[in-house]
Amino acid sequence: MKNTFCFILLIVLPVSAQELRLEKIAVYGNRRTRSSAIIRELCLKPEERLTESVLKRERQWLIRLDNWKKVEFQLKPADGAGRDLVVVVEERANWGIYPLLSNDYRFGWRGGFRLLRRNLWGLRHEAEAAMEIGGIEQFTLDYRIPWWAKRWRLFSRLSFRKTAFLYQYPDVEGPFPFRETAFFVVTGKQIGRCLRIGTAAGVAEAETAPDPSGPAGPERFIRWEGFVELDTRDWPR
């Protein structure tokens, strides 16, 4: 009887990072921001390949949203063969105040400040108040909602503005005071990371006294316009 020998060659190949698959995403360090408000900004799905370029792209996107001082990605072993992505963030301060200074060839210098309240409700909503004095006197209140309606990815902005300046009519002795009070609602849809489409509608009351081209007194009118915004900066895709 002949003896038969069978040799089995077992080759173990290391699994590279380029072949890792995403199991789930966890967020740490977010004391005020809801985890869901961070995870929804990432273009990552379960079982997606976690390549170096993908991780770099998503991390850069979170950094450029400007809500966090620091963003770090860590890969942890998951229950299966994939990896869990751990997003570690360090949040910015809730309040910020910024000086404003500008010059216009028609109205001259103006200066003021901008007061910003970040991350309301833990959903990255922002409220802002700004005041300027000088060639143009202006007071504005803004409330910005960067994302609502979940998968539709809609955004909105509510804006109240009071403006006053001196206007010089051509060939008419002046100047004349101009005042305007306006309220606008902006609503649109974010498409990808570079394109925004939407509408802006509102009401305004303007007064120029005296008005050499018509009767004096306030004029009330409705404004509506559509817009398309294409961000041509080098945003990560």
Side-chain angles (χ1 to χ4, degrees):
M1 179 181 293
K2 295 182 179 180
N3 294 327
T4 302
F5 297 93
C6 180
F7 295 93
I8 299 176
L9 180 62
L10 179 63
I11 302 176
V12 180
L13 296 177
V15 179
S16 67
Q18 296 179 346
E19 297 174 345
L20 296 178
R21 302 282 177 172
L22 175 65
E23 291 289 334
K24 64 180 180 180
I25 303 175
V27 181
Y28 290 93
N30 51 323
R31 295 178 299 161
R32 297 178 299 272
T33 312
R34 299 185 190 181
S35 296
S36 59
I38 300 175
I39 294 175
R40 70 186 180 187
E41 293 289 347
L42 300 174
C43 296
L44 293 173
K45 299 179 180 179
E47 298 300 321
E48 183 171 348
R49 293 177 59 190
L50 295 176
T51 64
E52 182 179 351
S53 60
V54 167
L55 294 174
K56 181 180 179 181
R57 176 196 69 193
E58 298 306 309
R59 179 173 176 271
Q60 287 179 344
W61 174 252
L62 289 183
I63 291 174
R64 295 186 186 191
L65 291 178
D66 201 31
N67 286 101
W68 302 281
K69 293 180 180 179
K70 182 177 66 175
V71 178
E72 294 182 355
F73 280 5
Q74 299 175 4
L75 293 179
K76 302 291 185 180
D79 295 336
R83 293 292 186 271
D84 292 341
L85 175 62
V86 179
V87 181
V88 182
V89 299
E90 182 180 348
E91 296 174 326
R92 292 188 180 276
N94 278 342
W95 293 92
I97 185 168
Y98 308 93
L100 299 173
L101 182 65
S102 60
N103 183 39
D104 187 283
Y105 75 94
R106 293 172 299 177
F107 303 107
W109 289 93
R110 64 181 187 267
F113 68 93
R114 182 169 69 98
L115 180 64
L116 177 64
R117 173 63 163 88
R118 297 185 183 90
N119 199 23
L120 288 162
W121 322 115
L123 294 172
R124 297 181 47 243
H125 294 194
E126 291 183 343
E128 179 182 306
M131 178 178 290
E132 293 180 278
I133 58 175
I136 296 179
E137 297 181 354
Q138 189 171 75
F139 173 74
T140 60
L141 287 174
D142 280 332
Y143 189 88
R144 294 185 287 270
I145 305 172
W147 190 321
W148 60 280
K150 296 184 178 180
R151 294 186 178 181
W152 286 93
R153 199 176 181 180
L154 304 181
F155 62 89
S156 292
R157 177 168 61 90
L158 309 178
S159 181
F160 173 80
R161 182 180 70 237
K162 291 185 70 71
T163 307
F165 56 85
L166 296 177
Y167 184 82
Q168 179 65 60
Y169 290 100
D171 304 323
V172 177
E173 184 178 355
F176 303 96
F178 174 87
R179 300 179 183 88
E180 182 185 66
T181 303
F183 176 77
F184 290 92
V185 178
V186 177
T187 301
K189 176 175 175 56
Q190 179 91 27
I191 302 175
R193 290 177 171 171
C194 296
L195 183 62
R196 288 156 52 105
I197 59 174
T199 62
V203 295
E205 180 179 277
E207 180 177 5
T208 303
D211 186 347
S213 61
E219 295 182 16
R220 298 176 180 87
F221 49 91
I222 298 175
R223 291 177 178 172
W224 179 90
E225 61 182 14
F227 65 87
V228 177
E229 295 180 355
L230 179 63
D231 194 339
T232 60
R233 292 176 292 179
D234 184 25
W235 289 99
R237 298 212 176 21

